[in-house]
Amino acid sequence: MQWWQKTTIYQVYPRSFADSNGDGIGDLAGIIGKLDYIRDLGFETVWVSPFFASPQVDFGYDITDYLSVAPEYGTVEDVDRLIDEAHRRGLKVMFDLVLNHTSDQHPWFIESRASRDNPKSDWYIWAGGKGRGKPNNWRAADLVSSAWTYSAERGQYYLASFLPCQPDLNYHNPEVKQAMFDVVRFWLGKGVDGFRLDMFGSIMKDRELRSNPVNWRPRFFPGLPVPELFVQKYNLNTEESFAFARELRQVCHELGEPERILLGEVFGQPSVLQRYLGESDGLQLVFLFDFLRYRYDPAFFRDRLLAYEHDFPAPLQPTFVLSNHDRMRAASRVGGDLRKAKVLATLLLTVRGVPTVYMGDEVGMTNTPVPLAQAQDIMAKSFRRLPEPIFQGLQRAIHDTINRDEVRTPMHWDASANAGFCPPEVTPWLPVNHNKDERSVAVQQADPHSLLQLYRRLLRLRREWPALHAGDFELILDVPRPVLAYRRRSGAEVAAIYLNFGESLQHVRATADAPIVIATDERNHLHGDVLYLHPHSGVVLMQAQDAIA
Ligand code: TEU
Ligand code: CA
């Protein structure tokens, strides 16, 4: 089994994790200072969101130099130290690679935009011209505005699949592919263990820039308040993008073992996203964001888990995510209810596949209200003309987050003034949530029944039990409707997980000699072969193999 098939991934958003020099902005030295925490909590891989040179219009997802570090985060030497210090602790490190686009302030784009015949003129996707209208009907990140922006300097439109400040690179140009593969080689050469690939599903577009067909069954795209008006046939999840995944995997193999991994941020149906894995010669992992848009209902999870077993059969691994730096906090999706957060944590860390956890979810951090008028997030700014109540209504309607500042506020280390993120006398770049007292690392370290301690116990169990990190998956169906239950087997070892999503006590028939090794509610108990499951709680049982009928 490869290391990445059984790893657990902790996402760090560097701007909000730990500020080591008191400027109110998180930094690389701050992350290094918290590696012991991440290792002791039990995670095995750290994914760090971008820290490269950037004007910070999209807080690092708009890059002006892939080989240098934004000064507010530190230096390339700090990156070397981060990798070395992580490896010394047995941690793997993944960087966040934004291949699809650069900042519009990148020297490459400034040159490309200057004329139609300079050496970089074909490094981006230019088309059409003044008076001839947009080249096609492709939409940008908000699915409403056009993906094309007119440049008077060049007299043409350029493509920006996300936002105008992030022009898409043209990977049909071999020079672009070479330049970006050299960026990959540079960081691999420094020892990084892999990359999370930003907006990877947009990487290769139709050469002829054909318009997309109308979507006669509009559906909502994750995290956005409008339905997809067009089927993204020519600019999302194309055959050439699946092929690009295989080329990129080859680049990662140039350095041999240990394997360096690629985790794609991709959107679409799991059966389509599975195409990025190829014949195990493509990406190793792809996010499955439909899991993140869950209904707190066992039927939803039964359906998704069966779909993933079908589309990602072993040795393929589904990748699980409940929140990240773009989307509503996991605890906020369940109204801040820590009981429910414990049920979801138990699910996330005992299913078959690779779990990713966004920093702060382990202490139940929730969305922090940030007034739209003060939003720094460029996505939120595009909604600024809306009155606050309308905007909040929009976020509630989609049950997700549009103003991403709300999920990027400083990590809660302790109950001090700025939650231990930065010195008390400093103003952090975003406000600290008022619930930092009870939802912080220091407070929950001291409470054996806290969400944090549950994460620690689950991560340890997962690491120690082959059934949990290498076992198969099988639903247990003869349970009451509010209960989700499944088995994980590896060799003679069997783990059984029972999760009660309901408001009432459930009695479940389990195998008698299966001790409870983890309970999210200490009142849960076995009486004979009947398992008593309290509302919004779960258990992990170790079942002896021969006890299974
Ligand atoms: O986000 C891409 C993506 O998920 C968006 O299309 C998403 O739907 C939007 O953020 C609303 O939630 C990646 C990064 O995760 C994000 O932080 C960047 O802003 C974006 O790409 C552009 O690089
Ligand atoms: Ca700092």
Side-chain angles (χ1 to χ4, degrees):
M1 199 170 194
Q2 285 285 349
W3 67 269
W4 54 270
Q5 289 175 303
K6 54 187 177 182
T7 197
T8 52
I9 299 174
Y10 186 78
Q11 179 193 0
V12 168
Y13 190 71
R15 201 173 188 86
S16 306
F17 191 59
D19 168 21
S20 71
N21 62 345
D23 62 358
I25 297 173
D27 44 57
L28 293 171
I31 299 174
I32 292 168
K34 297 294 184 183
L35 289 174
D36 283 339
Y37 164 74
I38 297 171
R39 191 262 325 266
D40 297 346
L41 182 50
F43 286 97
E44 295 163 82
T45 297
V46 186
W47 150 33
V48 187
S49 283
F51 46 76
F52 311 105
S54 164
Q56 308 299 351
V57 176
D58 189 17
F59 292 114
Y61 285 93
D62 52 324
I63 292 168
T64 49
D65 181 354
Y66 288 88
L67 304 183
S68 70
V69 176
E72 61 263 56
Y73 296 138
T75 64
V76 175
E77 290 68 36
D78 290 324
V79 178
D80 292 333
R81 216 156 47 88
L82 171 61
I83 295 172
D84 295 345
E85 289 297 328
H87 287 169
R88 259 180 1 93
R89 292 167 172 79
L91 291 169
K92 300 281 190 180
V93 183
M94 292 172 70
F95 289 169
D96 203 321
L97 196 56
V98 187
L99 290 171
N100 180 68
H101 49 266
T102 68
S103 162
D104 60 352
Q105 299 175 44
H106 195 300
W108 294 346
F109 184 71
I110 292 168
E111 182 178 351
S112 183
R113 182 177 55 192
S115 69
R116 298 191 188 190
D117 58 1
N118 60 68
K120 295 280 187 302
S121 60
D122 187 36
W123 277 47
Y124 293 82
I125 301 169
W126 295 93
K130 195 163 181 56
R132 287 162 45 194
K134 302 283 171 65
N136 62 28
N137 66 4
W138 295 356
R139 316 317 283 178
D142 62 9
L143 294 182
V144 173
S145 39
S146 168
W148 296 93
T149 300
Y150 184 70
S151 159
E153 191 178 354
R154 177 155 161 164
Q156 281 187 303
Y157 293 91
Y158 66 85
L159 179 70
S161 300
F162 195 70
L163 293 168
C165 66
Q166 294 156 298
D168 287 39
L169 283 163
N170 171 21
Y171 283 91
H172 291 299
N173 181 336
E175 293 171 5
V176 171
K177 200 181 283 190
Q178 193 53 49
M180 292 310 285
F181 283 177
D182 286 347
V183 167
V184 172
R185 292 181 178 108
F186 175 83
W187 292 113
L188 289 175
K190 285 194 170 286
V192 76
D193 300 291
F195 301 99
R196 176 263 192 188
L197 301 171
D198 186 68
M199 279 188 71
F200 191 74
S202 303
I203 200 81
M204 294 300 288
K205 297 87 174 165
D206 180 57
R207 278 177 195 274
E208 292 136 69
L209 305 178
R210 283 170 283 185
S211 276
N212 286 321
V214 170
N215 188 352
W216 297 111
R217 289 182 298 137
R219 61 187 181 81
F220 278 83
F221 203 76
L224 290 169
V226 290
E228 266 188 312
L229 305 174
F230 301 99
V231 177
Q232 297 190 68
K233 175 179 179 183
Y234 293 111
N235 61 332
L236 191 71
N237 303 333
T238 62
E239 287 298 328
E240 288 182 298
S241 289
F242 302 143
F244 187 94
R246 293 192 288 274
E247 283 188 80
L248 186 56
R249 177 74 174 272
Q250 280 311 307
V251 173
C252 290
H253 268 324
E254 288 167 1
L255 293 175
E257 294 296 325
E259 201 167 342
R260 317 299 181 89
I261 70 163
L262 297 166
L263 164 55
E265 186 211 27
V266 287
F267 296 90
Q269 293 305 311
S271 55
V272 171
L273 303 183
Q274 189 269 352
R275 299 284 312 280
Y276 285 104
L277 308 187
E279 299 303 317
S280 294
D281 59 349
L283 309 187
Q284 285 93 340
L285 301 169
V286 285
F287 279 113
L288 300 170
F289 286 115
D290 55 350
F291 193 76
L292 173 152
R293 303 187 68 216
Y294 62 84
R295 296 188 317 281
Y296 181 75
D297 174 342
F300 171 88
F301 289 114
R302 268 195 285 275
D303 171 70
R304 288 299 80 207
L305 290 169
L306 286 177
Y308 301 161
E309 284 301 302
H310 177 266
D311 294 326
F312 293 82
L316 303 183
Q317 297 287 330
T319 302
F320 288 90
V321 57
L322 284 177
S323 84
N324 60 31
H325 63 292
D326 293 331
R327 315 302 298 280
M328 181 186 262
R329 279 274 184 189
S332 288
R333 281 183 185 278
V334 288
D337 185 330
L338 287 173
R339 299 172 306 162
K340 296 179 179 179
K342 289 178 178 177
V343 168
L344 292 169
T346 307
L347 173 64
L348 181 66
L349 296 177
T350 58
V351 286
R352 185 184 73 81
V354 174
T356 63
V357 173
Y358 178 44
M359 67 176 208
D361 278 2
E362 73 271 26
V363 292
M365 280 181 71
T366 54
N367 279 41
T368 303
V370 174
L372 185 57
Q374 294 162 29
Q376 299 178 56
D377 172 28
I378 187 164
M379 280 291 275
K381 286 178 179 173
S382 57
F383 290 83
R384 251 187 184 162
R385 289 180 301 282
L386 284 179
E388 186 79 36
I390 302 285
F391 179 75
Q392 292 308 335
L394 209 49
Q395 291 201 123
R396 275 194 303 278
I398 62 170
H399 196 47
D400 212 321
T401 297
I402 303 170
N403 177 4
R404 299 173 300 176
D405 286 357
E406 296 189 359
V407 299
R408 297 171 175 180
T409 57
M411 175 72 183
H412 295 170
W413 296 107
D414 57 40
S416 66
N418 287 321
F421 165 72
C422 63
E425 68 280 6
V426 171
T427 304
W429 79 284
L430 278 176
V432 174
N433 195 303
H434 295 305
N435 61 18
K436 64 172 169 62
D437 295 3
E438 75 272 9
R439 294 179 191 235
S440 73
V441 170
V443 170
Q444 294 195 18
Q445 294 269 37
D447 171 5
H449 302 301
S450 66
L451 179 61
L452 177 67
Q453 295 298 9
L454 175 66
Y455 265 90
R456 174 173 279 109
R457 285 199 298 274
L458 285 166
L459 285 162
R460 179 173 174 189
L461 203 63
R462 181 189 177 89
R463 201 171 49 251
E464 291 174 353
W465 282 15
L468 291 179
H469 66 246
D472 64 10
F473 174 89
E474 179 197 14
L475 279 179
I476 300 171
L477 297 173
D478 53 337
V479 290
R481 189 200 154 330
V483 175
L484 173 69
Y486 48 90
R487 276 188 203 93
R488 304 287 319 280
R489 279 189 180 84
S490 175
E493 191 181 82
V494 182
I497 295 92
Y498 294 83
L499 304 171
N500 178 5
F501 285 76
E503 283 295 347
S504 55
L505 177 69
Q506 294 296 329
H507 307 102
V508 185
R509 191 165 299 287
T511 39
D513 65 348
I516 294 176
V517 285
I518 283 187
T520 67
D521 182 322
E522 59 279 6
R523 296 169 299 171
N524 290 347
H525 66 281
L526 262 170
H527 186 73
D529 63 356
V530 176
L531 176 63
Y532 289 74
L533 270 182
H534 283 262
H536 303 303
S537 77
V539 294
V540 179
L541 310 183
M542 166 59 101
Q543 285 180 281
Q545 174 70 320
D546 56 15
I548 302 296

